[in-house]
Amino acid sequence: MRIALENGKYKRHIKTIWMLFVLAVFGSFLFIWAVGVNFLGLFGELPSLQALENPRSELASEIYSADGKLMGKLYLVNRIPVEYEEISPYVINALIATEDVRFEKHAGVDLKGLGRVFFKTILLGKRESGGGSTLTQQLAKNLFETRAKESLGPLARVPGLRMLIIKAKEWITAVRLERNYTKREIITMYLNEVAFGHNAFGIEAAAHTFFNKPASELNAIEAATLVGLLQAPSRYSPVSHPEACRERRNVVLGQMYKYGFLDKDTYSQAIATPVKIDYHPEDPNEGIAPYFRAEVREFMKKWEKGRGLPENNFYTAGYKIYTTIDSRVQAYAEQAMVAHMKERQKRFNQVWSKLDPWYEVPGYLEAAARQSERYRTLKQQYGDDEKAIFAEMRKPIPMTVFSWEGEKDTIMSPMDSIRYYKRFLHAGLVCIEAQTGKIRAWVGGINFKHFRYDHVKQGRRQPGSTFKPVVYATAIDMGYTPCYEMVDKAVTFGDWSPQNSYGGFTGRSYTLRQALGRSINTIAAQLIMEIGVQNVVKFARQLGITSPLDPVGSLALGSSAVTLYELCQAYSVFLNQGKRIDNIYISRITDRNGKVIEEFIPDAREVMSEEKAYMMLHMLKASLEPGGTSVGLHRYGITQNNEIAAKTGTTQNHADGWFIGVTKDYVAGVWVGGDDMYIRFPSILDGQGAVLALPIWGNFTKAIYEDKSIPYKPGYFPRPAQISVELDCNKLQEGVSDKIKIEIIDDEAL
């Protein structure tokens, strides 16, 4: 009787357990279903089918040169996507062995792994038993932010339910991912998505950051190091915690050995090897043409705004931005600038060894200090108490400063650092392929990290005599010719009496060509007054100069500030047979999948006739002839069997040195000067454009001609077939009118 009762009691327990089990299973399926359909909006939305088919991670936009070089990236997170075949097998094996050894066997959720976690970790409390999340679940979490507040519904606020809902969402999303993608695609997405620390997202960025190589070349030890970082990138960083990194790496190597991915000898050697990295973090200050890339960033802001896209979307959109920059031409431009500016800075320091260039300007440094970030920060602390602010700014502190010998760690006060930096000369260079309008080189300054101001397009400075060709071109367009004569004499227009750089007047007659070549100020002044200042302003606009121009006589001598970019645009019209082709520096933009979003074709319009444009080139060639201001170009060995049209420029008090040179292939312009008009050489011997700027252009062009891989070669400007005006003024007969008309000759009649 007693045995029967006990058997009946036992059966009831079994029945109860089975009922509970069935209810648990049914409840679990019901719960999963409710989460999957977001029943009554209580659980939060799951990723849509479209989102699963087109998962979007934050990808850096990449900038490429015209010859296919990666110039740099625009990003919030540094991520470079790669294909499965571009990942070292050691990485794949290390990841599977460490994170999900049953990856090839489960369908997104590893029930066996979950069971192990439940019994060993939860029931037995063994923390080393590992987690139950598969790689697919981790990918779901990373791609779709399943744990973000925006993804959770009201029930997530119930204690104990939040994590259960999150896990259910990850399980469901993981299963759906497995249905949409192959195992290879899933592991590739995972490795492209995960963070490795030090702003390296994805395996390719991590490989470059920590080992300075692509992910395809990683060996077993390097692969184990990177996979080891995934558990805790900061804690196991090989940069800051090499010993902890080594221990974690060896755990990964142990897993690889355990599951047969490494043989015993390889494993033994690997775990005994110290951590060795080749640390190359992504630095936006480095790379090809950093000033130009900053301009591309500003372009992208405007471009996306015009398309109605969110602000700064390009940082994460994964665009590929193909530019017109030629990396070889860019390199020669930078090399020419650096070599010359080192020498000029040395000379500048010698000249001003005992005085500051601004010694005659009271309170100059203090005024400069008030524009500094340090001053603004101290002002928040001390208010209007300038005595306290400047007391702080005179206290020495450690800092790293720029020098032409490399960065230097030093101790100086903020005031001394302002004095130190103010004494630097700066430079800008831009090279335009006139026939296409494509920018081939862009050097905005001497060092992007320490001096961000761009002297190609951002900085406006008085152009001095480099503006004179605009005046002469206006006259040529109005019917004047290179042989029209004017006298170098003292003249006065109202309260303005222009002076020549050599301090006197010859009293001689010069043709317009001679006057431009020798850069005679009095003749340029007479010419602008004769043809009308407003006509010059109007024609300057047609040439592409957009900066404000003061309509006064001194405009002929470059009194109104312009940019190097727009001045070179104007000269390009002369080379391009009178057509103005608007400069472009981006050729096309594609999306992250390589689909072309937009291609850029420059607008072209006729500004002056082909014959008159050629006349301007002919006139500018006089600058290289005896008496011309650009004769120094001959010493660079680039003028033989080669036509060059050029103009130098020097502003008042030698504050700016300019040189614009034109070959048959391109227009390139150079500016050199200080932060402002007070940072200058005291003598025109050192401060003129022929000394400050011309050598950069000469060395730049010489390097291009010596590189046989670049298509720019010495040669001659194409002469229009139908021009009959006599360009050699010495051959003109006496008594000919001082304004010679252009006659069009019918080639067939010759």
Side-chain angles (χ1 to χ4, degrees), residues 348-625:
F348 189 83
N349 293 340
Q350 289 173 346
V351 169
W352 292 108
S353 61
K354 296 180 180 179
L355 285 173
D356 285 323
W358 55 85
Y359 71 96
E360 294 182 322
V361 186
Y364 177 86
L365 272 187
E366 288 73 15
R370 292 185 184 96
Q371 305 302 314
S372 68
E373 185 63 33
R374 176 76 171 173
Y375 180 91
R376 287 190 286 268
T377 300
L378 290 171
K379 188 171 177 61
Q380 293 177 354
Q381 182 179 352
Y382 292 103
D384 294 330
D385 188 353
E386 283 213 329
K387 184 177 180 180
I389 293 174
F390 280 105
E392 287 294 322
M393 292 194 69
R394 291 187 176 93
K395 292 181 179 179
I397 57 175
M399 62 177 69
T400 301
V401 298
F402 167 80
S403 83
W404 279 114
E405 291 73 42
E407 287 188 335
K408 292 184 177 179
D409 293 326
T410 186
I411 295 177
M412 65 171 68
S413 71
M415 289 300 292
D416 285 339
S417 73
I418 292 171
R419 173 182 279 105
Y420 175 79
Y421 278 121
K422 277 291 182 182
R423 291 174 64 95
F424 275 97
L425 293 173
H426 300 276
L429 183 154
V430 66
C431 177
I432 306 169
E433 191 176 84
Q435 294 87 341
T436 62
K438 294 177 179 179
I439 304 291
R440 294 307 191 188
W442 182 308
V443 185
I446 59 174
N447 183 277
F448 183 73
K449 181 177 180 180
H450 292 274
F451 306 100
R452 295 297 178 93
Y453 195 76
D454 175 43
H455 294 287
V456 169
K457 197 176 183 183
Q458 189 176 5
R460 287 191 172 98
R461 300 293 288 252
Q462 289 184 337
S465 294
T466 52
F467 191 82
K468 287 177 183 175
V470 177
V471 179
Y472 284 82
T474 307
I476 293 294
D477 195 61
M478 293 172 68
Y480 288 70
T481 73
C483 299
Y484 179 66
E485 292 188 356
M486 301 185 83
V487 179
D488 172 22
K489 62 183 180 180
V491 291
T492 298
F493 303 101
D495 58 355
W496 179 50
S497 299
Q499 303 293 315
N500 288 315
S501 60
Y502 46 83
F505 313 97
T506 64
R508 289 177 50 191
S509 288
Y510 292 93
T511 65
L512 293 188
R513 185 174 187 271
Q514 291 171 327
L516 181 58
R518 296 168 186 239
S519 202
I520 300 173
N521 289 344
T522 57
I523 291 181
Q526 292 176 71
L527 184 61
I528 196 172
M529 300 307 292
E530 187 172 308
I531 63 178
V533 176
Q534 289 291 354
N535 287 329
V536 173
V537 172
K538 181 180 178 182
F539 198 70
R541 297 289 180 240
Q542 294 179 44
L543 290 174
I545 294 175
T546 58
S547 293
L549 299 175
D550 196 8
V552 296
S554 61
L555 179 65
L557 310 185
S559 59
S560 292
V562 299
T563 68
L564 181 62
Y565 183 86
E566 58 191 345
L567 199 58
C568 288
Q569 165 85 80
Y571 279 63
S572 296
V573 173
F574 310 146
L575 181 58
N576 203 39
Q577 293 82 47
K579 295 184 181 66
R580 171 183 159 189
I581 297 183
D582 289 339
N583 300 334
I584 64 167
Y585 45 81
I586 294 177
S587 57
R588 69 184 187 279
I589 300 172
T590 68
D591 63 17
R592 63 176 61 198
N593 299 314
K595 180 182 178 182
V596 175
I597 303 173
E598 187 166 351
E599 290 189 88
F600 299 89
I601 301 172
D603 291 331
R605 73 213 72 169
E606 186 173 295
V607 174
M608 59 196 308
S609 71
E610 182 181 359
E611 294 81 10
K612 292 176 179 178
Y614 181 78
M615 280 189 202
M616 283 305 303
L617 293 177
H618 177 68
M619 290 177 68
L620 286 165
K621 283 164 54 181
S623 183
L624 278 78
E625 296 172 1

Side-chain angles (χ1 to χ4, degrees), residues 46-56 144 176-177 180-181:
L46 279 166
S48 66
L49 181 61
Q50 184 179 7
L52 288 172
E53 291 176 346
N54 299 280
R56 290 183 62 86
F144 304 108
R176 291 178 178 177
L177 282 172
N180 281 273
Y181 297 98

